[in-house]
Amino acid sequence: MKSIVLFGPPGAGKGTQAQRIMNSTGLPQVSTGDMLRAAVSAGTETGVKAKSFMDAGELVPDDVIIDLIKDRIKQPDAVNGVMFDGFPRTIPQAEALSEICEVSHVIAIEVPDSKIVERICGRFTCADCSAVFHDTFKPTKVLNKCDSCDSSNFKRRADDNESTVLSRLNAYHEQTSPLADWYKSRNIFYPFNGDRPIDEITTDILSVLQ
Ligand code: ADP
Ligand code: ZN
């Protein structure tokens, strides 16, 4: 199987859909955001380079990201393809990817800017199983208990605040959205309206991946 790319603005629901696509296709999720956050908390060289950009809501330099991805796809679980989440985010990243891995589908989740700030500012994840929740739109079924694993251990991202969200959206429009045309011209771009119930979006995405 070839690799797929999940594309869309911050807060579009890429992480939520990634978990569902992973369960049904078996493709491992490769999230550059998660990898960078792990590097920052571990205090690695990559983490030190990335931290100030992430705190400001700016993109981390391409060479840092490309090195991270090259290492990641050498892992044994990546032999049959992966699902990239949050990568590529610039044309140079997409060019680098095209040299190391074949992408069969770019799954674009589209959500208007007006919805993004409220989505991101209320979101939190289970620290044990990574399930994604939202204070208003997807609260846990039982107060303070994860729906999937019963944990009471939740976390919120440091960059999920209003001013950083605006910088992240700006970076998306300036640097990442031009990739849509780049992939459209390669006939592998599949857009989905992300402003709908989560299950509907999953069903539509899985139907093109069959
Ligand atoms: P979101 O899509 O919600 O903004 P991510 O978890 O994908 O969040 O990324 C968080 C931050 O990590 C970004 O704001 C950026 O600083 C950095 N980052 C993640 N992926 C990349 C990438 N492919 N290129 C450059 N920076 C990235
Ligand atoms: Zn959980």
Side-chain angles (χ1 to χ4, degrees), residues 24-66:
S24 112
T25 63
L27 289 176
Q29 176 187 10
V30 172
S31 157
T32 42
D34 286 348
M35 292 164 73
L36 291 168
R37 281 185 286 280
V40 170
S41 21
T44 65
E45 200 184 321
T46 303
V48 171
K49 285 187 203 154
K51 186 173 188 309
S52 59
F53 296 99
M54 297 173 75
D55 288 344
E58 291 166 9
L59 294 188
V60 172
D62 287 336
D63 56 336
V64 176
I65 300 291
I66 293 166

Side-chain angles (χ1 to χ4, degrees), residues 63-74:
D63 56 336
V64 176
I65 300 291
I66 293 166
D67 285 349
L68 206 63
I69 290 291
K70 282 187 175 158
D71 275 355
R72 178 64 185 87
I73 63 171
K74 284 184 202 145

Side-chain angles (χ1 to χ4, degrees), residues 86-159:
F87 171 86
R89 260 177 156 94
T90 63
I91 302 268
Q93 290 181 20
E95 282 168 347
L97 178 61
S98 69
E99 282 163 21
I100 53 178
C101 169
E102 192 175 349
V103 173
S104 62
H105 296 79
V106 175
I107 303 293
I109 306 177
E110 301 181 331
V111 175
D113 283 9
S114 57
K115 296 280 169 82
I116 285 177
V117 176
E118 59 180 15
R119 276 196 184 195
I120 288 188
C121 293
R123 78 177 171 184
F124 60 98
T125 56
C126 172
D128 292 319
C129 78
S130 306
V132 187
F133 300 96
H134 189 284
D135 295 326
T136 314
F137 308 126
K138 194 177 185 297
T140 55
K141 289 189 182 124
V142 178
L143 187 67
N144 217 23
K145 236 179 206 285
C146 172
D147 295 0
S148 313
C149 77
D150 272 359
S151 167
S152 298
N153 200 1
F154 296 103
K155 55 184 185 185
R156 289 178 193 260
R157 276 170 48 177
D159 61 348

